Amino acid sequence: MSVNKQVVIWMEYGSNDLLVAKELKFEKHFVHRAILTHAQQSVEKYFKAYLLYKKKEIIKTHDLLI
């Protein structure tokens, strides 16, 4: 998969998380922590897209197999 395609995919993931964060504030019983979690995840995904765009290596910081 090309780097440009990966950038687009991660931007879409980030946009989806941001959309969820924005929509949660309109729920009758919204939870601030849920909004903050989705906003934080959005930033991480946008940052990953930026790093890929700048052709930087993305380092895995956690591994479920360890």
Side-chain angles (χ1 to χ4, degrees):
M1 182 181 312
S2 73
V3 171
N4 288 339
K5 179 69 173 168
Q6 290 177 3
V7 168
V8 170
I9 289 170
W10 283 108
M11 291 294 290
E12 288 174 358
Y13 291 160
S15 294
N16 289 341
D17 278 329
L18 186 57
L19 177 63
V20 171
K22 288 179 177 180
E23 291 297 319
L24 282 174
K25 72 180 181 181
F26 295 112
E27 293 295 318
K28 184 176 181 180
H29 300 289
F30 72 89
V31 178
H32 289 96
R33 187 174 302 145
I35 294 171
L36 294 173
T37 298
H38 283 287
Q40 181 265 337
Q41 285 294 308
S42 177
V43 170
E44 282 190 17
K45 290 167 184 162
Y46 283 135
F47 187 59
K48 187 176 280 192
Y50 175 76
L51 291 174
L52 286 167
Y53 176 75
K54 290 295 198 175
K55 303 197 182 349
K56 301 291 183 184
E57 181 182 359
I58 296 176
I59 300 167
K60 281 183 91 170
T61 58
H62 59 287
D63 188 346
L64 297 177
L65 299 178
I66 294 178

